[in-house]
Amino acid sequence: MIKNIIKKRKSYIVIIGGLSIVGLTAFNDGRGMHHQKRSLTDTTKIPAKYGFGRVVTQQEIDKWDIDVRPDGKGLPAGEGDAAKGKAIYALKCMACHGATGEEVPGVKLPAPALVGDTAAKSKPKTIGNYWPYATTLFDYTRRTMPYNLPGSLTDNEVYSLTAYLLSANKIIKPETVLNAQTLPLIVMPARKLYIMDDRKGGPEVK
């Protein structure tokens, strides 16, 4: 009697163990198939195009490709002088940079001062004592000003504003006409303060 009971229990144990093995195998196989299917599904769902954007035109590229280099390369045709620049300054720049572009004691302007002494250690930093190249003043003004409508100035307006600011900083004479030929010839007082970075490897600070 006891022997029969032991035999039956062994049979149950063998059956349960077998079912467990079969179940685990099926579970693992299912997970593997699931991962395999999901991987294949993800791959096949990647679209050839997402429908965003469009091909930029050469005309649009040219509109943004307007950089002017320190040697003057990139300067456009046109010209301007300080008298015209002063009128443009009053209309489009004075609200942020003040009536003359100079720092006024006790007055906090929305934008930095532009006009000041050309001495190397004078403050605040302005075009006169801190800007190394006159040509890049043109580039910066054309690209970023006026603050509320950058890129809206014509090339003649930018030449005139550049002339006015350089004249106000006593770097050029008021009657000087600036264009693509005359602007690169101006040597800014602060240029000598800058060191050309011609390193090839070595320490980070020259």
Side-chain angles (χ1 to χ4, degrees):
M1 182 68 179
I2 293 174
K3 288 182 178 179
N4 289 335
I5 293 173
I6 292 173
K7 282 183 180 179
K8 286 181 180 179
R9 286 185 176 176
K10 284 183 177 178
S11 298
Y12 292 147
I13 291 171
V14 169
I15 291 170
I16 292 172
L19 289 174
S20 299
I21 291 170
V22 171
L24 287 171
T25 303
F27 176 73
N28 288 330
D29 287 347
R31 287 185 63 187
M33 291 177 65
H34 178 66
H35 285 165
Q36 188 176 12
K37 284 181 180 178
R38 186 170 62 184
S39 177
L40 288 173
T41 301
D42 289 347
T43 301
T44 56
K45 279 187 176 179
I46 296 175
K49 292 184 178 180
Y50 288 96
F52 300 124
R54 60 176 173 78
V55 178
V56 67
T57 66
Q58 187 60 45
Q59 188 178 17
E60 290 169 324
I61 294 173
D62 293 341
K63 187 177 179 181
W64 285 96
D65 186 17
I66 58 171
D67 65 292
V68 176
R69 302 181 187 182
D71 62 0
K73 185 176 181 180
L75 280 170
E79 63 179 26
D81 56 48
K84 295 173 185 171
K86 186 176 182 179
I88 298 167
Y89 179 90
L91 186 64
K92 301 187 177 183
C93 312
M94 186 186 295
C96 292
H97 293 284
T100 62
E102 296 180 76
E103 185 177 66
V104 179
V107 177
K108 179 65 176 176
L109 294 171
L114 303 174
V115 178
D117 200 332
T118 56
K121 294 184 179 179
S122 62
K123 294 184 178 179
K125 292 177 180 176
T126 64
I127 293 169
N129 60 33
Y130 195 66
W131 205 284
Y133 296 101
T135 50
T136 57
L137 174 60
F138 179 98
D139 177 83
Y140 183 82
T141 304
R142 179 169 65 161
R143 190 181 301 279
T144 64
M145 295 292 129
Y147 185 75
N148 63 334
L149 203 58
S152 62
L153 297 169
T154 67
D155 292 337
N156 285 345
E157 287 177 323
V158 180
Y159 273 120
S160 295
L161 272 175
T162 304
Y164 169 67
L165 293 172
L166 293 176
S167 173
N169 278 280
K170 296 181 173 52
I171 296 171
I172 64 172
K173 294 179 179 179
E175 62 272 19
T176 303
V177 175
L178 293 186
N179 52 42
Q181 287 71 47
T182 57
L183 186 56
L185 300 178
I186 297 171
V187 178
M188 299 294 283
R191 185 186 298 187
K192 61 180 179 292
L193 305 177
Y194 289 78
I195 299 172
M196 185 64 70
D197 189 354
D198 56 355
R199 292 169 298 167
K200 295 180 180 178
E204 293 184 1
V205 178
K206 192 171 185 177

